[in-house]
Amino acid sequence: MNRETPQANRLWANLIVEELVRCGVDFFCVAPGSRSTPLVAALAANDKAHNLVHFDERGTAFAALGYARATGRPAAWITTSGTAVANGLPAVVEASTDGVPMILLTADRPPELRQTGANQTIDQPDIFGDFVRWRFDLPAPDPTIDPAMVLTTVDQAAYRARRSPQGPVHLNLMFREPFLPEGDDVPAGPSPWAEGDEPYTRYATTKPTLVEAEIQALWQTLRRVNRGLVVAGRLASRKQGEAVSRLAGALGWPLLPDISSQVRLGADSENLAAYYDALLAGESFAEAHAPEAVVHVGGRALSKRLEQFLGRSGLDPYVVVRENPFRLDPSHRVTHSIEADVVDFCAAMVRVAMEDPPDEDASWMAGWREASEKVGHSLDGISSAEPNEPFVARSVSRNVPHDHGLVVASSMPVRDLDTYAANGGEPVPVAANRGASGIDGTVATAAGFARGLGRPVTLLIGDLALLYDLNSLAMLRDVPVVVVVLNNDGGGIFSFLPVAKRKEFFEPYFGTPQGVGFGPAAGMFGLRYERPETTAEFTEFYRKACARGSSTLIEVRTDREENVALHRKVLEEVADSVGRA
Ligand SMILES: Cc1ncc(C[n+]2csc(CCOP(=O)(O)OP(=O)(O)O)c2C)c(N)n1
Ligand SMILES: [Mg+2]
């Protein structure tokens, strides 16, 4: 044994944790394991660092994702070696696809143990492939290497996670045994870094800006459009959503806000056409309201009807604006692709609009807004004695308290909220894992989102998605989350697909009923459990759960076939009422 190994481990781990904190990464999601001991010891000794500890690495990785969705800042994820690392892949894929920053710190065995059959040793350095923005395999801590190397590596990692395109960054960290020195002396880093509190290398903040000539040229194109639409896709903050809303105002175009745009709930824009998804279910509305042009700001919008509507319209221009260089154009219709800071872009367009106001078609705006308002009234009729899925989504959107956040699971919960959410509720932050649209890791995402916001969170989730991440209920003992599970005994979304007619194999392969209730799971994790039988009870239990300050699981039982029939009926009624107008 080299007697300098434990000292070097301690120093390097310390430098890594402290430098991350100095770079603004002060939240660490940790699962237990031996190889990561130096990192955990450094974390425990750093009183500026905060943490979330949970036994399951898939959960801690999704918690890190949820935290970054709430704060806009990456969290660090600490794991031991082996399959623990592999369990991070789903969250890394989501973070990569949706541009969410994250720092992955994976402990590994030193070179002399790699590819030797040593225990819990796998090929880790490139395990996340192209899903990470940057990766680096640090050497095992060694007193002959200048510790400044560790600091500049961490600074680079933090920068690469946060600069455009944002996303996950991976530092693979080898440690030799023994992991820790006997005493708990914390070695100081290089001077003068050790005496200060700034990062060793300070990276200047940069953001892509659009040159003035491009703004002017775009404005000349847009100002002539009579029938344009502004789509607010997935946006990271209310501030961004409001900027897009002002852009719609300056153009005099209807604003179509996705559920993740941060301006769908509690929206108060005059241009608002909140119920565009339900509106587009009506053929006659869609035909009569074909736009000439669209400006889409932010990530992909959820509504398939919107995607099809814009995809077939032959729009010119079709402008996409987002904070990364990637193509966002599944229909291959985009004419102008703009990588820019969303708030800056919208402000620049509003400025030129004021200098040179556009031709406005007031009837175009009014047509969308009034039809949308009509849908809102029509949707108030979806209440019945027993709670149904659209009603629960609408009730949550109306009753979620102003000091909460909202996480919505993939599959029908996010679609229901997108289609049916009332716009009169509170403008709470909304998160949904729609980068890769997985149903995995949703409970953990909610736990991380709540920690990041420092607020309670409501999680609207289906039964299979909840079963998928049941482990993560353990995190809700410390973080207040109101879990509303729509238990339709299987994958309700599949009943909307053509394959639902294939009775000979649909139920066992797609419906996949599990026949479970969630009372025992709530009990196992010490969560309060409610099972409302009526709509009035649901609203009452939900409000009380929100006020409680500790986690509650509310289970609503529904029926998949009735649910499809209800959706179709509601959307037909909407189409009728809008058509009559
Ligand atoms: C990790 C992952 N596996 C599989 C899928 C495919 N998938 C999409 S929706 C769904 C069913 C979800 O069921 P549930 O959570 O109960 O919601 P419901 O459809 O009933 O609204 C599945 C399996 C997915 N999106 N992600
Ligand atoms: Mg279900």
Side-chain angles (χ1 to χ4, degrees):
M1 176 190 104
N2 184 335
R3 271 191 280 123
E4 289 171 328
T5 295
Q7 286 294 340
N9 285 341
R10 192 72 169 85
L11 173 63
W12 282 34
N14 241 28
L15 297 180
I16 291 165
V17 170
E18 173 64 21
E19 190 68 343
L20 281 171
V21 170
R22 293 186 186 197
C23 291
V25 184
D26 62 0
F27 189 67
F28 293 75
C29 297
V30 189
S34 168
R35 193 58 50 173
S36 45
T37 299
L39 292 169
V40 170
L43 176 61
N46 193 314
D47 53 17
K48 290 170 289 182
H50 309 280
N51 66 67
L52 177 153
V53 182
H54 172 65
F55 51 83
D56 174 340
E57 287 82 6
R58 189 176 70 182
T60 50
F62 273 105
L65 175 86
Y67 181 89
R69 285 198 184 284
T71 60
R73 285 185 291 126
W77 179 68
I78 295 183
T79 72
T80 189
S81 62
T83 57
V85 177
N87 274 288
L89 185 62
V92 170
V93 168
E94 175 62 24
S96 182
T97 314
D98 208 17
V100 181
M102 188 184 281
I103 309 281
L104 311 161
L105 306 175
T106 60
D108 198 357
R109 299 238 176 339
E112 63 272 21
L113 293 176
R114 285 180 174 180
Q115 300 187 29
T116 61
N119 180 44
Q120 212 176 316
T121 308
I122 66 165
D123 192 2
Q124 285 179 199
D126 294 330
I127 191 167
F128 299 117
D130 288 342
F131 291 106
V132 287
R133 303 286 186 252
W134 188 62
R135 55 180 171 270
F136 196 77
D137 191 23
L138 263 91
D142 178 336
T144 66
I145 298 175
D146 183 350
M149 180 280 281
V150 180
L151 298 173
T152 66
T153 304
V154 171
D155 296 333
Q156 168 74 178
Y159 181 64
R160 296 289 282 270
R162 293 174 80 161
R163 76 182 292 264
S164 174
Q166 295 199 338
V169 160
H170 180 198
L171 296 181
N172 192 59
L173 304 168
M174 296 186 265
F175 291 109
R176 271 191 194 97
E177 294 184 66
F179 296 130
L180 293 179
E182 288 296 323
D184 51 13
D185 287 356
V186 179
S191 219
W193 176 87
E195 293 78 49
D197 55 9
E198 292 283 340
Y200 188 89
T201 305
R202 272 157 274 179
Y203 281 82
T205 311
T206 57
K207 51 186 178 183
T209 40
L210 205 54
V211 298
E212 186 65 22
E214 293 266 9
I215 291 177
Q216 295 292 349
L218 183 63
W219 181 248
Q220 288 313 315
T221 312
L222 295 179
R223 69 177 301 288
R224 295 197 185 89
V225 172
N226 290 315
R227 297 158 62 99
L229 295 174
V230 172
V231 175
R234 207 282 280 175
L235 293 167
S237 67
R238 177 90 181 160
K239 193 173 154 207
Q240 290 185 346
E242 284 172 346
V244 180
S245 184
R246 283 194 292 276
L247 171 65
L251 284 161
W253 296 1
L255 172 70
L256 280 47
D258 181 78
I259 188 63
S260 303
S261 67
Q262 317 302 336
V263 281
R264 171 71 172 80
L265 302 184
D268 55 5
S269 155
E270 287 200 350
N271 300 48
L272 189 69
Y275 296 108
Y276 61 92
D277 179 64
L279 280 174
L280 294 174
E283 273 296 317
S284 60
F285 181 89
E287 268 165 34
H289 292 80
E292 293 163 32
V294 66
V295 175
H296 175 120
V297 188
R300 192 177 62 244
L302 179 86
S303 166
K304 204 168 173 176
R305 284 185 275 265
L306 179 67
E307 190 175 300
Q308 285 167 350
F309 178 64
L310 298 179
R312 69 174 179 233
S313 291
L315 305 171
D316 192 11
Y318 190 136
V319 183
V320 165
V321 184
R322 70 269 170 269
E323 297 189 337
N324 64 60
F326 304 123
R327 181 161 60 160
L328 176 55
D329 187 14
S331 314
H332 308 286
R333 294 284 181 272
V334 170
T335 62
H336 296 63
S337 171
I338 296 172
E339 179 185 2
D341 178 273
V342 163
V343 172
D344 290 353
F345 171 82
C346 293
M349 295 310 283
V350 170
R351 171 175 52 76
V352 290
M354 278 162 62
E355 290 161 5
D356 179 21
D359 307 335
E360 275 189 42
D361 179 346
S363 67
W364 168 248
M365 253 287 302
W368 277 87
R369 194 185 54 225
E370 284 160 19
S372 176
E373 282 166 4
K374 245 182 148 22
V375 176
H377 296 307
S378 162
L379 291 182
D380 287 330
I382 57 184
S383 178
S384 57
E386 282 176 25
N388 59 57
E389 297 183 25
F391 166 82
V392 169
R394 205 161 159 76
S395 176
V396 165
S397 71
R398 278 222 163 99
N399 292 297
V400 62
H402 69 97
D403 54 356
H404 270 225
L406 187 56
V407 174
V408 217
S410 286
S411 204
M412 290 312 288
V414 71
R415 289 173 201 283
D416 284 350
L417 213 67
D418 196 49
T419 308
Y420 301 112
N423 47 298
E426 298 287 349
V428 300
V430 177
N433 288 338
R434 296 300 302 178
S437 302
I439 59 162
D440 44 353
T442 322
V443 177
T445 302
F449 197 60
R451 278 298 296 268
L453 292 176
R455 300 170 167 203
V457 154
T458 295
L459 168 63
L460 185 65
I461 189 168
D463 52 304
L464 294 187
L466 180 54
L467 282 172
Y468 211 126
D469 201 20
L470 214 55
N471 281 354
S472 295
L473 288 177
M475 284 184 248
L476 307 194
R477 290 178 288 208
D478 307 323
V479 186
V481 175
V482 179
V483 181
V484 176
V485 56
L486 293 161
N487 187 356
N488 53 20
D489 199 15
I493 197 167
F494 299 125
S495 301
F496 290 82
L497 303 180
V499 74
K501 293 203 189 79
R502 305 300 295 271
K503 299 280 181 237
E504 69 280 18
F505 64 83
F506 178 77
E507 206 43 19
Y509 288 99
F510 291 87
T512 55
Q514 303 299 307
V516 300
F518 290 93
M524 177 176 169
F525 292 104
L527 312 179
R528 192 179 168 113
Y529 175 74
E530 308 279 8
R531 187 164 155 201
E533 302 285 351
T534 65
T535 47
E537 255 179 17
F538 172 76
T539 306
E540 182 197 330
F541 292 170
Y542 176 60
R543 284 203 188 125
K544 283 190 177 148
C546 289
R548 197 166 287 130
S550 58
S551 297
T552 301
L553 196 158
I554 303 178
E555 174 167 4
V556 179
R557 296 281 182 117
T558 60
D559 178 277
R560 282 184 271 131
E561 287 198 4
E562 284 171 15
N563 185 44
V564 182
L566 176 73
H567 278 262
R568 294 199 171 128
K569 185 170 144 269
V570 168
L571 292 179
E572 271 166 28
E573 280 170 14
V574 163
D576 274 1
S577 75
V578 173
R580 273 199 309 280

